[in-house]
Amino acid sequence: MSMNLNIGVIKGDGIGPEIVTEAMKVLDKAAEKYGHACKYTQLLLGGASIDVHGIPLTDETVEQAKACDAVLMGSIGGDAKTSPWYQLEPSKRPEAGLLKIRKELNLFANLRPAILYDELKGACPLKEEITEGGFDLMIMRELTGGLYFGERRTEEIDGVLTAFDSLTYNEIRRIAKRAFDIAMKRGRKVTSVDKANVLDSSRLWRKIVEEVAKDYPEVALEHMLVDNCAMQLVKDPKQFDVVLTENMFGDILSDEASMVTGSIGMLASTSLNETKFGLYEPSGGSAPDIAGKGIANPIATILSAAMMLRFSFDLDQEADAIEAAVAQVLKEGYRTIDIMSEGKTQV
């Protein structure tokens, strides 16, 4: 059945416009092949919004995004040492717009698949015996709680910045439920990552995850401390299926997972709310040092577009086709400089 896909597009900063443009070409091709139509609404966020509006995210952009079925986004931000955006106070810098739009759209679940393609084993820094057969894991990161969103205050007496961890019962329960739902469609295993030997919030996390697990008897649950998980990701990544964790831990672990796939330029991601709406983006940064050179890796953004078709539009066949096309491109030897050899963003 043909569909009209109402997609917001945030091209972003640095290499963002280049890689998003390539992903849109792939979406248009998939839509043409399967009888759909893509309607794009161009939105501004981050540095691009600062240049036009003076702030990283406007209320109008938020409302426009809410009117879309999903949003495809490029990388946000610039060089913190040289960009004038970083002369602004923190609340007006590019990344503040990203945090705000996640909050305004109630995006609580960040999904970052980490897949090692057989053709890219040579780009993986791990030993060959570890990478033999590849791996396919999904990191699920809670987005609305933890230290990133906890209370902050500076004590005037000694100038010490104090931050408070903040996680609620509902925040933990909903991300846990989403993790188990996704595990049911994958390998039926959830590794819940915390720091329960130290943090009260982690002990609450573990308790609620165990409550949710009772509703999914088909899914195996294990707990792992975050420092051990960081080691296990490089020792034996094949052991993982769905890795469930809180905001800051997930931020760090997902970047680590990206590097064992060969390049962060391969890592897609999405942030979902409680409906089918999602914000889809590559996990890598804006790489301003290579912007405009036509050498940025578009694969993570293309795979993010495939995730969009799968999770927001339930178009599994179309998503499978894009993922298969990416695998075929890699088999044919096409690369960009982040994965072994010289190459171009466009073929």
Side-chain angles (χ1 to χ4, degrees):
M1 182 177 69
S2 62
M3 292 180 62
N4 293 318
L5 311 182
N6 182 18
I7 302 168
V9 175
I10 300 170
K11 290 194 172 181
D13 309 315
I15 62 172
E18 301 166 64
I19 55 180
V20 170
T21 296
E22 298 309 304
M24 291 169 67
K25 291 178 183 177
V26 174
L27 280 173
D28 287 337
K29 195 66 178 179
E32 178 186 342
K33 179 178 180 180
Y34 291 96
H36 308 303
C38 294
K39 175 192 173 185
Y40 299 113
T41 301
Q42 299 291 335
L43 307 171
L44 291 179
L45 176 69
S49 178
I50 294 172
D51 289 345
V52 175
H53 301 293
I55 55 176
L57 179 66
T58 66
D59 293 339
E60 181 183 6
T61 295
V62 171
E63 294 307 311
Q64 289 175 322
K66 288 180 178 179
C68 298
D69 298 322
V71 174
L72 178 67
M73 184 172 73
S75 306
I76 301 298
D79 188 329
K81 294 181 179 179
T82 62
S83 173
W85 302 329
Y86 294 91
Q87 304 306 311
L88 302 170
E89 61 183 84
S91 64
K92 293 183 179 179
R93 293 174 186 172
E95 290 75 13
L98 183 56
L99 292 175
K100 181 180 177 181
I101 200 169
R102 286 174 178 167
K103 184 175 182 179
E104 293 288 341
L105 299 177
N106 196 28
L107 304 174
F108 72 91
N110 181 244
L111 282 62
R112 292 190 178 187
I115 302 169
L116 179 62
Y117 291 88
D118 203 47
E119 293 77 19
L120 297 183
K121 286 192 297 185
C124 177
L126 304 181
K127 294 180 180 179
E128 187 173 342
E129 56 263 34
I130 295 175
T131 61
E132 186 63 36
F135 54 81
D136 180 352
L137 62 95
M138 176 77 77
I139 293 182
M140 293 203 60
R141 167 190 171 195
E142 202 284 325
L143 276 183
T144 62
L147 284 173
Y148 287 179
F149 285 93
E151 178 190 349
R152 290 170 173 79
R153 67 170 181 257
T154 301
E155 303 290 350
E156 293 184 5
I157 297 175
D158 52 13
V160 174
L161 179 66
T162 303
F164 296 89
D165 199 352
S166 173
L167 271 168
T168 68
Y169 177 91
N170 287 334
E171 285 173 337
I172 300 170
R173 182 174 180 80
R174 65 182 179 178
I175 187 69
K177 185 177 185 307
R178 186 63 65 95
F180 280 91
D181 285 339
I182 289 177
M184 286 290 292
K185 298 181 179 181
R186 291 174 48 91
R188 300 197 173 193
K189 178 183 177 183
V190 170
T191 302
S192 179
V193 176
D194 58 40
K195 193 64 176 170
N197 59 335
V198 175
L199 300 176
D200 286 341
S201 58
S202 282
R203 287 187 275 274
L204 175 65
W205 175 281
R206 187 172 290 201
K207 177 177 181 292
I208 296 170
V209 169
E210 289 178 350
E211 288 178 4
V212 173
K214 294 176 182 177
D215 296 330
Y216 297 85
E218 307 95 331
V219 178
L221 169 65
E222 67 174 358
H223 299 287
M224 189 175 290
L225 296 177
V226 63
D227 39 1
N228 184 30
C229 184
M231 292 186 286
Q232 294 297 326
L233 276 171
V234 296
K235 181 182 178 182
D236 181 20
K238 291 194 289 290
Q239 69 181 281
F240 296 109
D241 178 29
V242 175
V243 177
L244 166 66
T245 192
E246 60 93 50
N247 204 340
M248 184 172 68
F249 297 160
D251 192 5
I252 297 166
L253 292 175
S254 59
D255 281 352
E256 181 188 11
S258 75
M259 292 314 299
V260 297
T261 67
S263 170
I264 200 168
M266 299 294 298
L267 204 67
S269 79
T270 180
S271 301
L272 304 174
N273 65 17
E274 294 183 7
T275 70
K276 289 188 177 297
F277 181 92
L279 177 69
Y280 298 82
E281 58 179 315
S283 294
S286 62
D289 56 319
I290 63 169
K293 296 181 180 180
I295 57 175
N297 189 345
I299 290 179
T301 316
I302 291 169
L303 291 174
S304 297
M307 291 180 73
M308 180 176 67
L309 295 179
R310 189 181 305 283
F311 289 108
S312 285
F313 297 106
D314 293 323
L315 296 175
D316 290 345
Q317 185 179 13
E318 291 82 342
D320 289 343
I322 291 176
E323 291 166 357
V326 167
Q328 184 61 36
V329 163
L330 294 173
K331 286 180 181 179
E332 292 177 6
Y334 293 99
R335 303 285 189 273
T336 45
I337 60 172
D338 56 309
I339 43 176
M340 301 193 316
S341 63
E342 293 185 6
K344 299 293 184 181
T345 305
Q346 298 181 351
V347 177

